[in-house]
Amino acid sequence: MASNTTSRRETFDIGGDLTVNRLGFGAMRITGEEIIGTPGDEGEAKEVLRRAVDLGVDFVDTADSYGPGVSERLIGEALGDPDGVVVASKAGLLRNREGDWLPHGDPDFLKNQVLCSLDRLGTTTIDLYQYHRPDPDTDFEKSVHAFAEMKDAGQIAHVGLSNVTVEQLETAMEIVDIATVQNRYNVGHRDDEDVLRACERNDVGFIPWGPMYAVDGDEIPEALGEVANRRDATARQVALAWLLDHSDVTLPIPGTSSVDHLESNLAAADLSLTDEDLAALDAVDSQK
Ligand SMILES: NC(=O)c1ccc[n+]([C@@H]2O[C@H](COP(=O)([O-])OP(=O)(O)OC[C@H]3O[C@@H](n4cnc5c(N)ncnc54)[C@H](OP(=O)(O)O)[C@@H]3O)[C@@H](O)[C@H]2O)c1
């Protein structure tokens, strides 16, 4: 792991060997509406990806189901298989024409999907491949074994989980080393605090998805607005800075389809919250 507190605050070693800046980028929003099909302007979507890397992002999250296929393809086309950028993808959800997300953890399906992901990302080994969501109709352990086999075959370097409980994390860790867990979590939605703490105990990276959801919608939590005003920052920047401060193992992946929003969000890495700010934010009601 990183050798001192300062670097540990700024970077995290995924699986013990892939060092990344903790503030990454989520590439779900570079597809069409409802995360189906192509975006209105593919050139702009690729520009967002390139700008993220220019600004120091070296951890990009995607999934086979974003588009489906579109987000992975755009990453492959825009970035190639870049040295020094960790690309994390996922498998385990099907899409339909209505845009639903349907869990599908069949091992043969998962092994088919990694072949598609490798092709679209233009790589021979995916840095981190995550089981997107446990499938109630497939034995969880069988699905995790499929990821272990992909790792043994060299198709993926590390295995991650997403949308899991502490019990599922512990079950999976008996089968294969788990490098990361990706669950919904933000300053206003902390149902999975127990999963975060389990990740800390096991040096597993915790990727909070929807990191800025607390800011979306009509009502921003009052404390978030107050801290943002006090610090002359946006509420999104404060939400991201809180995630970075709340635990050493968080890897927030704010998503956007806009270069301007990207630049604004990434500035959160330079926002140091005071003890007063943190106390106010810690007291935010966990609702969103
Ligand atoms: N594992 C899972 O089940 C799961 C589920 C959902 C997401 N994810 C991952 O998590 C990542 C982040 O999640 P997310 O995209 O749902 O949530 P998010 O990053 O919290 O929010 C993204 C939303 O906020 C808007 N936004 C971003 N920056 C903004 C800014 N500076 N000003 C105004 N609006 C802004 C975006 O619209 P614009 O495009 O207009 O900026 C978009 O609608 C995704 O990209 C994906 O990789 C994983």
Side-chain angles (χ1 to χ4, degrees):
M1 307 308 300
S3 58
N4 62 57
T5 314
T6 307
S7 62
R8 181 59 188 263
R9 239 192 75 81
E10 293 164 0
T11 63
F12 183 80
D13 296 350
I14 292 176
D17 66 354
L18 296 176
T19 303
V20 295
N21 293 319
R22 288 180 51 212
L23 190 55
F25 175 69
M28 185 177 83
R29 304 277 171 184
I30 58 165
T31 64
E33 278 187 29
E34 307 296 332
I35 324 298
I36 291 281
T38 53
D41 182 343
E42 288 206 358
E44 194 181 339
K46 290 179 190 176
E47 186 52 33
V48 172
L49 290 165
R50 291 194 195 102
R51 185 78 184 124
V53 173
D54 284 350
L55 289 171
V57 167
D58 57 8
F59 178 53
V60 176
D61 181 75
T62 183
D64 62 341
S65 49
Y66 297 166
V70 175
S71 174
E72 287 184 334
R73 174 177 63 78
L74 291 174
I75 291 169
E77 290 173 2
L79 303 181
D81 182 13
D83 285 343
V85 178
V86 170
V87 177
S89 194
K90 315 182 197 79
L93 289 177
L94 288 170
R95 306 301 304 282
N96 61 18
R97 289 159 66 125
E98 286 71 45
D100 297 324
W101 305 81
L102 308 169
H104 199 65
D106 173 68
D108 287 337
F109 169 72
L110 297 170
K111 290 180 198 168
N112 180 83
Q113 290 310 96
V114 78
L115 294 173
C116 299
S117 295
L118 283 163
D119 180 58
R120 287 185 291 251
L121 291 170
T123 186
T124 50
T125 306
I126 296 170
D127 301 314
L128 173 66
Y129 210 49
Q130 305 154 92
Y131 183 27
H132 208 146
R133 181 180 291 277
D135 173 1
D137 296 326
T138 306
D139 180 57
F140 178 68
E141 295 183 30
K142 282 191 180 154
S143 305
V144 175
H145 271 290
F147 281 83
E149 286 173 34
M150 293 174 207
K151 188 178 174 193
D152 286 344
Q155 294 169 308
I156 66 178
H158 294 286
V159 177
L161 302 172
S162 181
N163 301 301
V164 291
T165 61
V166 172
E167 194 183 355
Q168 287 165 328
L169 168 61
E170 288 171 349
T171 299
M173 284 169 50
E174 298 280 317
I175 297 169
V176 63
D177 286 344
I178 298 298
T180 57
V181 168
Q182 181 171 150
N183 280 15
R184 182 182 187 209
Y185 186 87
N186 61 57
V187 64
H189 180 94
R190 292 183 230 166
D191 288 359
D192 287 349
E193 193 73 30
D194 59 337
V195 182
L196 169 59
R197 299 303 162 198
C199 288
E200 285 176 346
R201 288 194 296 278
N202 292 287
D203 241 343
V204 167
F206 182 84
I207 306 169
W209 67 258
M212 304 178 296
Y213 280 0
V215 177
D216 292 341
D218 297 333
E219 283 183 32
I220 296 176
E222 202 178 322
L224 199 53
E226 281 171 11
V227 173
N229 280 342
R230 190 157 69 221
R231 304 307 308 278
D232 199 17
T234 70
R236 284 183 173 78
Q237 288 166 344
V238 173
L240 292 170
W242 179 83
L243 281 169
L244 291 171
D245 227 287
H246 189 60
S247 164
D248 283 343
V249 302
T250 50
L251 301 163
I253 44 167
T256 179
S257 55
S258 142
V259 171
D260 287 349
H261 290 174
L262 172 80
E263 291 175 354
S264 170
N265 297 342
L266 293 180
D270 301 320
L271 177 62
S272 300
L273 297 172
T274 63
D275 289 346
E276 186 193 357
D277 298 336
L278 290 169
L281 294 167
D282 286 345
V284 165
D285 265 355
S286 179
Q287 302 288 345
K288 286 187 164 184

